């Protein structure tokens, strides 16, 4: 027996490694070439969302090996496992998008079940795609184990080869997948040819990594650092850089330090750290999906922090990081300008950061910021006291059309573009709306309403990037507005309001809107209203025939629709930490 055997009397892995009764269990570990000493050490789950579905996840496998190296160096025993992902760039614009948000729950559930089933003592989770980041963080908080998150990194920006025949505006800028969706709109408008589209699709995404703008993946990667679950600056380096291994090894060592000090995920994720994360989303012009995922992470900790709380912080936070889609730069540029640490250092300078929060390093947020060098480059990161705009890049709306609230991304929009009024043109699903956009069956100045796309009613709360990108490609992005009880991609531009609640399937006002109703959206005042008297809305409610039937009468999407809660609370599928009667780590 090892002479310096670790004390596992309070760690979950004791249930599978300790005592004569666990001899059968140990025989399985010997079958995998573990030594007696390795079996005696803490077991660390190294969870990845690796797959060959998309570039977002393809680099996670080799990065996980560096994490395992760090765990081993700190006298832990890593156990690698994988879970699913559904990649939005592939799932976008068709039935596959219904699986996207539901996959977040499946990721959290499968990581939880793997950790519980094998009694792992801690977790390092690697994720690369939109829903896999919050799903992994939700699992960490749900289990309340010592936890370190690591992002797989962003894709490199695309470049058009010199002399290639493409429209001049594509040739002159860094490309992301957003440009491809907008190129489709330009193609439909006759402004892009088949040959030009073929050139663009071959160069827009030149490497492994998640979408390069401040879309959902990079937004939630920034959240992972700001909330304290990831090591400082670990999210910034692009995925193809082999030097990412330094962050993997450091993350493996860090989780062993957290085990030793018994620092758990809920010691890190607190009300204050959630507020820090919302600040970073706001000042970087991040994805509206953060308004869904932050409440979901809070739910796993039993913290009341809903869409309204997130939007309050957005409203109070200056927007000073110039990233796509509202701005000019991509994730690689932010990393080279100092990354999230410099952004948070600027927020601290304005008194907008809680410094007492614990982080994955075992140091407080204030201590980490004290160690951060550099300042704003005034190109990607502006000084906080000279921001791009005085309020955050994402705004919450509320009114008689959305009593539970809604959310809109205004990063890059001028003040006069943030107020819009027009007659409703109602569609019962995204497919109908997209067909109308392709046929240009709409009028300038209208408010396009897409309903029955909420968490339960969709089911799955699909994103609408194909529709909004087509509108932008047709040159109509600023000439009409769009609202939905579904979601918008982090890559969406224009006056596009999502998360309208209650959703149509719950009889929310969006279910009662009719063609021609005048809708007013005011992001400056934070209001969303339909000019229909209460009496008329009551009459329509009485006549409403109930939720639209879907074809999903069995399987995972049926189950999701039965369980999912309101979008303003994170669209979660279980009661959360407030209802729990045990903590996994203490069983």
């Amino acid at each position: 027996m090892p002479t310096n055997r670790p004390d596992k009397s309070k760690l979950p892995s004791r249930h599978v490694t300790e005592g004569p009764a666990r001899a059968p269990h140990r025989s399985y570990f010997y079958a995998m070439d573990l030594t007696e000493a390795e079996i005696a050490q803490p077991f660390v789950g190294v969870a990845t969302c690796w797959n060959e579905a998309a570039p977002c996840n393809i680099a996670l496998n080799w990065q996980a090996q560096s994490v395992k190296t760090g765990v081993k160096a700190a006298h832990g025993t890593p156990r690698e496992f994988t879970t699913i992902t559904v990649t939005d760039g592939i799932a976008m614009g068709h039935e596959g998008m219904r699986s996207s948000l539901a996959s977040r729950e499946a990721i959290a559930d499968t990581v939880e079940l793997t950790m519980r089933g094998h009694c792992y003592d801690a977790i390092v989770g690697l994720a690369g795609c939109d829903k896999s980041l919050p799903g992994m963080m939700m699992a960490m908080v749900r289990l309340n184990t010592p936890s370190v998150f690591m992002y797989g990194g962003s894709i490199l920006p695309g470049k058009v080869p010199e002399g290639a025949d493409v429209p001049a505006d594509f040739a002159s800028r860094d490309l992301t997948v957003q440009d491809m969706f907008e190129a489709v709109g330009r193609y439909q408008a006759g402004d892009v040819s088949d040959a030009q589209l073929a050139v663009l699709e071959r160069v827009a995404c030149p490497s492994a990594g998640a979408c390069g703008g401040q879309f959902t993946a990079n937004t939630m990667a920034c959240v992972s650092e700001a909330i304290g679950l990831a090591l400082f600056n670990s999210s910034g380096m692009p995925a193809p850089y082999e030097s990412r291994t330094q962050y993997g090894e450091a993350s493996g060592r860090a989780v062993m330090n957290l085990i030793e000090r018994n620092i758990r995920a809920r010691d890190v994720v607190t009300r204050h750290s959630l507020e820090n994360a919302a600040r970073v989303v706001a000042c970087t012009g991040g994805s509206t999906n953060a308004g869904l995922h932050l409440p979901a992470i809070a739910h796993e900790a039993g913290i009341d922090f809903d869409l309204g709380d997130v939007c309050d912080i957005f409203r109070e936070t200056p927007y000073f990081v110039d990233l796509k889609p509202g701005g000019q730069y991509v994730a690689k540029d932010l990393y080279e300008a100092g990354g999230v640490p410099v952004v948070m250092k600027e927020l601290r300078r304005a008194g907008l950061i809680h410094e007492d929060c614990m982080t994955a390093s075992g140091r407080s947020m204030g201590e980490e910021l004290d160690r951060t060098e550099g300042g704003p480059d005034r190109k990607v990161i502006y000084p906080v006291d000279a921001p791009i705009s005085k309020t955050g890049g994402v705004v919450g709306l509320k009114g008689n059309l959305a009593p539970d609230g809604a959310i809109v991304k205004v990063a890059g929009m001028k003040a006069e573009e943030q107020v819009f009024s027009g007659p409703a043109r109602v569609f019962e699903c995204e497919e109908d709306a997209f067909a109308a956009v392709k046929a240009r069956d709409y009028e300038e100045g209208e408010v396009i309403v897409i309903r029955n796309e909420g968490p339960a009613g969709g089911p799955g709360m699909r994103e609408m990037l194909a529709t909004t990108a087509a509108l932008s490609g047709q040159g109509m992005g600023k000439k009409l507005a769009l609202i939905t009880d579904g979601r918008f991609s982090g890559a969406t531009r224009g006056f596009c309001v999502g998360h309208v609640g209650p959703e149509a399937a719950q009889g929310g006002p969006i279910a009662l809107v009719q063609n021609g109703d005048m809708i007013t959206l005011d992001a400056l005042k934070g209001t969303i209203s339909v000019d229909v008297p209460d009496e008329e809305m009551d009459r329509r409610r009485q006549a409403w025939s109930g939720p639209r039937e879907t074809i999903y009468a069995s399987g995972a999407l049926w189950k999701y629709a039965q369980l999912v809660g309101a979008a303003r609370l994170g669209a979660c599928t279980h009661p959360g930490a407030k209802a729990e009667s045990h903590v996994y780590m203490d069983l």
Side-chain angles (χ1 to χ4, degrees):
M1 295 293 290
T3 56
N4 60 338
R5 186 180 178 87
D7 178 14
K8 297 178 75 170
S9 63
K10 292 185 179 180
L11 293 179
S13 64
R14 73 186 186 279
H15 297 302
V16 295
T17 63
E18 304 302 290
R22 301 310 181 215
H25 305 68
R26 290 191 295 272
S27 71
Y28 270 38
F29 298 133
Y30 285 121
M32 294 182 284
D33 288 332
L34 293 189
T35 65
E36 186 177 8
E38 288 170 327
I39 294 170
Q41 293 176 157
F43 278 21
V44 175
V46 178
T48 82
C49 298
W50 177 87
N51 62 28
E52 293 183 334
C56 332
N57 313 306
I58 202 75
L60 296 176
N61 184 273
W62 67 261
Q63 294 185 44
Q65 309 318 306
S66 64
V67 172
K68 291 162 69 176
T69 298
V71 170
K72 290 176 181 178
H75 308 293
T77 300
R79 311 310 299 149
E80 184 179 353
F81 65 94
T82 61
T83 184
I84 70 159
T85 49
V86 172
T87 297
D88 289 6
I90 299 292
M92 191 72 69
H94 55 86
E95 282 294 300
M97 180 48 71
R98 299 193 191 281
S99 299
S100 171
L101 186 57
S103 76
R104 185 193 72 180
E105 309 307 298
I107 290 163
D109 290 350
T110 52
V111 171
E112 176 197 0
L113 292 172
T114 301
M115 293 285 290
R116 284 183 180 274
H118 301 103
C119 300
Y120 295 154
D121 302 316
I123 181 171
V124 179
L126 296 90
C129 206
D130 293 5
K131 307 308 171 295
S132 62
L133 280 80
M136 190 68 72
M137 288 185 268
M138 287 163 65
M140 293 171 172
V141 179
R142 184 185 303 177
L143 291 161
N144 198 25
T145 59
S147 303
V148 178
F149 178 85
M150 184 173 163
Y151 182 41
S154 66
I155 200 167
L156 293 173
K159 298 281 188 183
V160 173
E162 188 173 347
D165 176 24
V166 298
D169 56 327
F170 286 111
S172 63
R173 66 176 185 253
D174 287 342
L175 298 178
T176 69
V177 73
Q178 170 200 354
D179 296 289
M180 288 312 308
F181 280 98
E182 293 187 4
V184 170
R186 298 266 292 271
Y187 174 81
Q188 292 164 352
D191 296 333
V192 171
S193 68
D194 285 298
Q196 290 172 330
L197 197 63
V199 171
L200 292 170
E201 70 186 39
R202 284 166 171 77
V203 299
C205 300
S207 74
C211 302
Q214 193 66 338
F215 312 149
T216 304
N218 279 318
T219 296
M220 296 309 296
C222 292
V223 162
S224 72
E225 289 189 37
I227 210 169
L229 287 171
L231 296 179
F232 253 32
N233 220 22
S234 62
S235 68
M237 186 180 288
Y241 288 18
E242 291 189 7
S243 46
R244 285 195 64 81
T245 57
Q246 66 183 288
Y247 290 109
E249 185 170 349
S251 295
R253 290 179 180 273
V255 82
M256 293 303 297
N257 175 54
L258 297 180
I259 293 174
E260 183 177 347
R261 296 175 58 183
N262 194 28
I263 297 173
R264 305 180 181 184
R266 293 184 200 170
D267 298 320
V268 172
V269 176
T270 63
R271 172 73 190 217
H272 277 178
S273 72
L274 288 159
E275 291 176 358
N276 286 346
R279 297 273 187 213
V280 167
V281 174
C283 74
T284 59
S287 169
T288 56
N289 281 315
L292 195 70
H293 300 323
L294 287 173
I297 294 169
H299 180 74
E300 302 290 356
I303 298 169
D304 291 325
F305 192 71
D306 66 12
L307 178 62
D309 297 308
V310 174
C311 290
D312 286 345
I313 292 169
F314 288 169
R315 186 170 57 250
E316 300 165 357
T317 308
Y319 162 51
F320 60 88
V321 186
D322 190 21
L323 297 172
K324 288 176 178 279
Q328 302 181 65
Y329 298 101
V330 296
K332 175 177 176 286
D333 300 316
L334 176 60
Y335 170 69
E336 291 172 351
V340 174
V342 170
V343 172
M344 295 192 74
K345 193 175 171 184
E346 280 300 288
L347 286 168
R348 179 171 74 166
R349 201 159 64 84
L352 296 176
I353 285 293
H354 298 291
E355 298 186 44
D356 58 336
C357 300
M358 179 55 66
T359 74
S361 68
R363 293 183 287 269
S364 73
M365 183 61 68
E367 290 172 324
E368 286 290 354
L369 291 173
D370 287 340
R371 296 160 59 95
T372 298
E373 298 179 356
D377 65 342
R378 299 177 181 269
K379 183 178 76 169
V380 181
I381 305 172
Y382 285 57
V384 70
D385 50 10
I388 300 167
S389 65
K390 293 182 179 179
T391 60
V394 180
V395 171
L397 308 177
K398 207 166 189 177
N400 71 342
L401 189 49
D404 283 355
I407 196 167
V408 60
K409 187 170 186 174
V410 297
M413 292 173 65
K414 299 175 182 176
E416 59 268 24
E417 296 169 350
Q418 296 183 33
V419 180
F420 195 99
S421 185
R425 182 174 291 250
V426 181
F427 298 96
E428 301 299 331
C429 62
E430 184 194 12
E431 285 81 3
D432 291 352
F434 187 62
V437 169
K438 282 179 65 178
R440 289 184 172 256
D441 185 17
Y442 60 85
E443 299 292 336
E444 183 177 324
E446 290 183 327
V447 178
I448 293 175
V449 179
I450 305 177
R451 62 189 176 202
N452 302 305
E453 294 290 1
M461 205 179 182
R462 289 190 291 178
E463 292 183 350
M464 308 289 157
L465 179 59
T467 301
T468 59
L471 287 167
S472 292
Q474 292 174 6
M476 298 299 292
K478 296 181 180 180
K479 297 177 181 178
L480 45 71
L482 195 153
I483 71 170
T484 181
D485 52 5
R487 296 182 294 124
F488 289 114
S489 164
T492 293
R493 296 193 291 174
F495 209 141
C496 299
V497 179
H499 303 202
V500 171
E503 62 173 294
Q506 296 172 339
I510 193 172
L512 311 176
V513 173
Q514 297 179 0
N515 285 328
D517 289 348
M518 289 299 295
I519 292 174
T520 299
L521 311 170
D522 190 332
L524 301 176
K525 295 180 179 177
T527 59
I528 175 172
S529 62
V530 57
D531 188 15
V532 176
D534 292 345
E535 300 78 20
E536 171 61 13
M537 291 297 276
D538 289 340
R539 187 194 66 76
R540 294 181 188 180
R541 188 170 285 107
Q542 294 299 318
W544 184 57
S545 58
R548 184 188 63 152
E549 287 191 17
T550 76
I551 62 172
Y552 301 97
S554 64
L557 289 173
W558 174 86
K559 183 164 56 176
Y560 178 80
Q562 308 311 304
L563 295 173
V564 70
R568 72 178 181 86
L569 301 175
C572 301
T573 56
H574 71 109
K578 282 191 174 182
E580 70 186 12
S581 57
H582 78 277
V583 174
Y584 161 74
M585 283 294 290
D586 296 329
L587 286 176

